[in-house]
Amino acid sequence: MTHPLHSRMRGMSLLELLVAFSILALSLGVLYKAIGGSARNVADAERYQRAVLLGESLLSARDAVTADGWSEEGQSAGYAWSVRSAPLETEASRRNPGAPVLHQVDILIDWSGERGTARSLHLSTLRPQRKPPAAGGPR
């Protein structure tokens, strides 16, 4: 004669154990993929932040542009950059020839992101044209 309590205390079958392990493996796979994606996003954000800092440092190198404009390019720490400027015609400059001339300065920074994907950043601002030195001024 079997005891009713004894018949309810049986262990898990092999099939139930395999299903439980499969669900656990799938859950861990999704979790690892999410964590890996987050790590890649952090690396991409860091590279983007460095590109912005490079662009800001290029802009801080000059507070004004010569009449010839600003055309320069180079490479720095895995980033390729180029700076181009062109005079910007405004309503004030058309009405008043003595108004300061502004130049639109465009900076383009290129780099390789995760998995070799090409990334770029475009910054644009205005800088005044440097006035020529006065004829009778100090030497």
Side-chain angles (χ1 to χ4, degrees):
M1 177 155 115
T2 58
H3 195 273
L5 185 60
H6 181 63
S7 63
R8 282 189 275 147
M9 294 180 48
R10 292 180 24 197
M12 294 176 59
S13 70
L14 184 58
L15 181 59
E16 291 171 333
L17 195 58
L18 286 174
V19 169
F21 277 132
S22 298
I23 292 172
L24 178 67
L26 287 173
S27 300
L28 286 176
V30 169
L31 181 64
Y32 288 146
K33 187 174 182 179
I35 290 172
S38 296
R40 278 190 298 280
N41 289 343
V42 167
D44 282 344
E46 183 181 347
R47 297 279 298 178
Y48 183 83
Q49 183 180 14
R50 287 183 182 174
V52 169
L53 287 173
L54 174 62
E56 287 177 348
S57 68
L58 289 169
L59 281 175
S60 68
R62 293 191 185 183
D63 58 351
V65 178
T66 63
D68 297 336
W70 184 10
S71 179
E72 194 174 357
E73 57 187 38
Q75 291 195 358
S76 177
Y79 297 91
W81 54 269
S82 65
V83 181
R84 303 283 183 262
S85 75
L88 181 69
E89 189 172 316
T90 62
E91 186 66 33
S93 65
R94 275 181 259 158
R95 283 189 278 142
N96 182 5
V101 178
L102 294 176
H103 284 253
Q104 180 171 344
V105 178
D106 293 308
I107 297 178
L108 183 63
I109 302 171
D110 296 312
W111 72 95
S112 293
E114 284 289 318
R115 296 186 226 126
T117 56
R119 303 283 183 174
S120 66
L121 172 69
H122 178 246
L123 301 172
S124 184
T125 189
L126 297 176
R127 288 285 193 255
Q129 180 173 308
R130 183 174 291 131
K131 292 184 180 182
R139 295 181 188 203

